[in-house]
């Protein structure tokens, strides 16, 4: 069973970049597809990005495509979310999630392992 801990959130101005990190422990990291989700106040949690266990395939929500990049370093048991050109509507708590299996999923119900979340606030 894998444990996940996110870091890197903060308060930033619109247009700048921020990088989130998720450190995994307790499992063979490359066996897990990983995803990032976010939840804004008063809204349901939504899919942001995901990456296969090997890191060779990624998938993004339309709202972040071209601005966010998901990547992973299996040697360091880490998955990253590079967020560029941030907008106020990106304000949310960001969660790292993991699932056994190498294929991508956008469905939060298919991810049994979750971190505690890290807050990202983008001011205009």
């Amino acid at each position: 069973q894998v444990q996940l801990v996110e870091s890197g959130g903060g308060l930033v101005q619109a247009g700048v970049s921020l990088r989130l990190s998720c450190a995994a422990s307790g499992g063979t990291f490359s066996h897990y597809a990983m995803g990032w989700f976010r939840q804004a106040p008063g809204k349901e949690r939504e899919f942001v990005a995901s990456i296969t266990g090997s890191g060779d395939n990624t998938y993004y929500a339309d709202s972040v495509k071209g601005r966010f990049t998901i990547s992973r370093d299996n040697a360091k048991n880490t998955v990253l979310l590079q967020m560029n050109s941030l907008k106020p509507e990106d304000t949310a708590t960001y969660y790292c999630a993991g699932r056994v299996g190498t294929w991508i999923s956008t469905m939060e119900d298919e991810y049994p392992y979750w971190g505690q979340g890290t807050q990202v606030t983008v001011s205009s």
Side-chain angles (χ1 to χ4, degrees):
Q1 181 170 333
V2 66
Q3 292 82 45
L4 304 172
V5 178
E6 304 96 333
S7 61
L11 171 62
V12 297
Q13 289 189 327
V16 303
S17 299
L18 200 61
R19 188 177 74 171
L20 304 183
S21 179
C22 174
S25 61
T28 303
F29 188 56
S30 62
H31 292 180
Y32 292 81
M34 300 298 296
W36 285 96
F37 292 77
R38 67 186 182 185
Q39 187 169 22
K43 296 187 177 181
E44 294 187 352
R45 190 156 54 186
E46 64 176 4
F47 168 78
V48 174
S50 62
I51 188 167
T52 53
S54 63
D56 55 358
N57 282 297
T58 58
Y59 189 77
Y60 298 92
D62 287 343
S63 59
V64 306
K65 199 174 296 182
R67 299 188 298 122
F68 290 11
T69 302
I70 188 172
S71 62
R72 66 190 296 159
D73 185 337
N74 285 344
K76 296 182 178 179
N77 289 0
T78 301
V79 60
L80 303 174
L81 185 68
Q82 178 67 42
M83 305 185 296
N84 298 330
S85 302
L86 282 163
K87 304 175 181 180
E89 51 263 44
D90 294 319
T91 294
T93 301
Y94 283 72
Y95 296 90
C96 173
R99 62 189 300 269
V100 176
T102 59
W103 59 92
I104 286 171
S105 173
T106 65
M107 306 299 292
E108 64 174 285
D109 290 347
E110 294 187 357
Y111 290 84
Y113 308 110
W114 291 82
Q116 82 289 350
T118 186
Q119 178 67 37
V120 173
T121 303
V122 184
S123 63
S124 58

